[in-house]
Amino acid sequence: MTFIFFFNDTATTEIYTLSLHDALPICSIWMTASIGILIGVGFYFAAAVATLLTMGTLSLFRLIESRLPALYYGRVQVRMPSKAALSEDEISNIICEYDFWPSDPSYHLTNDGKMYEFQMTVRTRNTNNFSKLAAALAANRSIREFDLMRVGE
């Protein structure tokens, strides 16, 4: 579940996305302030009811969140001699073998055209796939260097 917020000021317009994971702490802070106000004005019964409802709701959402499948993102950068470079399909096949979904490919020639650099964003549902992919890339003789970086949380 993702919420999208638009903030507009005279200098810039930015779009912020807020996931359920981000929204729960924010909501709990607002509810804590509301319960504090209720106690401050002497509405103890309403504060107790609000506390119980808040605790129940937050517990329910934590349970739901823990059962949702998570996606883990990473960035793959592969460098090879340009004369022996693997094709995009060959690299994508290696990546897909380890349950990654590749996207956003980019290509570069470096070192006066001697090295071919290929980059892409990948996502997976299992964090163990990162180490498996790293081992496969290290074992491939066509690949001179690679970087595999997890991004996000």
Side-chain angles (χ1 to χ4, degrees):
M1 176 181 285
T2 301
F3 305 97
I4 299 178
F5 294 94
F6 296 92
F7 295 100
N8 192 2
D9 61 19
T10 56
T12 61
T13 300
E14 294 186 43
I15 300 173
Y16 295 94
T17 59
L18 184 64
S19 68
L20 180 62
H21 180 75
D22 299 327
L24 290 178
I26 294 168
C27 292
S28 65
I29 291 169
W30 277 94
M31 285 307 298
T32 302
S34 301
I35 292 166
I37 291 170
L38 288 173
I39 291 172
V41 296
F43 295 152
Y44 300 113
F45 181 73
V49 170
T51 300
L52 292 175
L53 287 174
T54 301
M55 296 298 284
T57 302
L58 289 174
S59 297
L60 177 67
F61 278 126
R62 291 279 184 214
L63 179 66
I64 291 170
E65 183 184 35
S66 69
R67 294 186 181 194
L68 290 175
L71 285 176
Y72 303 97
Y73 290 86
R75 190 85 182 135
V76 177
Q77 185 176 22
V78 177
R79 287 174 288 285
M80 308 162 266
S82 58
K83 293 181 180 177
L86 299 173
S87 70
E88 178 185 350
D89 288 337
E90 291 172 315
I91 294 172
S92 293
N93 287 339
I94 293 170
I95 290 169
C96 289
E97 270 182 58
Y98 297 93
D99 294 326
F100 281 93
W101 296 279
S103 65
D104 305 324
S106 66
Y107 319 90
H108 306 279
L109 276 176
T110 60
N111 293 348
D112 296 325
K114 295 177 184 171
M115 294 295 285
Y116 182 75
E117 190 174 288
F118 181 77
Q119 297 179 23
M120 69 170 55
T121 302
V122 294
R123 68 176 191 243
T124 185
R125 294 198 186 279
N126 186 347
T127 57
N128 295 329
N129 292 342
F130 284 96
S131 59
K132 293 175 186 175
L133 178 59
L137 293 173
N140 191 310
R141 293 183 184 257
S142 298
I143 297 172
R144 173 96 30 102
E145 298 174 10
F146 72 92
D147 291 321
L148 178 58
M149 300 158 280
R150 280 193 55 188
V151 295
E153 290 185 19

